[in-house]
Amino acid sequence: MIRLWAATDLYIIVADASVANQVNALALTKADFYEHFATPYMRKGILVDTNVPHWRASRKVVTRVFHYSTLKAFLPIFHEESRILVEKMRRYARGGSSFHPPRLMVLATFSTIMRTTLGINTHAQLSEEQPFIVAMHTIMQVCNLNFELSISTALGAA
């Protein structure tokens, strides 16, 4: 367990799963960080929901979706998309050229999610530019600028 102070806020980082379970069972309130910074962008999604009863109900639904018996049906898709990713990396490695792994991982993840959730094969790994990915990166850049502006405004006001 690691204790981390950020100004007046104490954050505890727990590595032991059994301790994390006990902490989650007893202290389910979200930190102020979620209220001030995450909620404006993510609204009341499961990751930032501060309403504990609502969060518990949502978590139970999501937990069922990620059960092994459910995920087992998607193993062929995971395998195929992983093979495409590895082959792309292998080509870069054999050619001696540099590449940016996170970019390849984003395309593989997007392709896998589209296939497993919507049943649509976008062949995202075959193209470097996916309109949805480009749009998401743009949105994240705008959110990041908003976040930086919020911080600089808060620090300027202090």
Side-chain angles (χ1 to χ4, degrees):
M1 182 165 54
I2 299 169
R3 286 184 287 182
L4 174 70
W5 284 94
T8 58
D9 296 326
L10 172 64
Y11 295 90
I12 299 173
I13 301 168
V14 180
D16 184 346
S18 63
V19 174
N21 260 345
Q22 291 172 0
V23 170
N24 281 338
L26 299 173
L28 285 176
T29 57
K30 300 281 184 175
D32 290 340
F33 167 84
Y34 290 97
E35 193 69 38
H36 300 296
F37 296 111
T39 302
Y41 305 109
M42 300 176 83
R43 302 287 178 235
K44 294 293 182 185
I46 190 169
L47 297 177
V48 296
D49 197 349
T50 55
N51 178 344
V52 175
H54 181 261
W55 176 83
R56 278 185 197 265
S58 300
R59 185 199 62 176
K60 287 179 181 175
V61 170
V62 171
T63 302
R64 275 188 242 119
V65 170
F66 288 103
H67 190 274
Y68 176 72
S69 62
T70 306
L71 293 176
K72 202 163 115 176
F74 299 121
L75 284 177
I77 293 171
F78 298 152
H79 180 72
E80 185 180 337
E81 294 296 334
S82 298
R83 287 181 62 87
I84 295 169
L85 176 63
V86 168
E87 189 51 43
K88 284 180 80 170
M89 289 182 170
R90 185 177 287 132
R91 280 196 300 264
Y92 282 116
R94 285 186 179 149
S97 57
S98 63
F99 64 96
H100 188 59
R103 185 178 182 88
L104 299 178
M105 296 298 293
V106 164
L107 292 171
T109 302
F110 176 68
S111 189
T112 302
I113 289 171
M114 292 300 286
R115 288 182 69 189
T116 56
T117 58
L118 300 177
I120 299 170
N121 192 348
T122 60
H123 303 285
Q125 293 192 76
L126 303 180
S127 169
E128 293 296 316
E129 293 297 318
Q130 287 292 323
F132 180 81
I133 302 293
V134 172
M136 285 304 296
H137 281 187
T138 303
I139 289 169
M140 293 309 293
Q141 287 173 336
V142 169
C143 288
N144 191 35
L145 286 172
N146 260 345
F147 180 72
E148 288 174 8
L149 253 168
S150 304
I151 295 294
S152 61
T153 302
L155 291 175

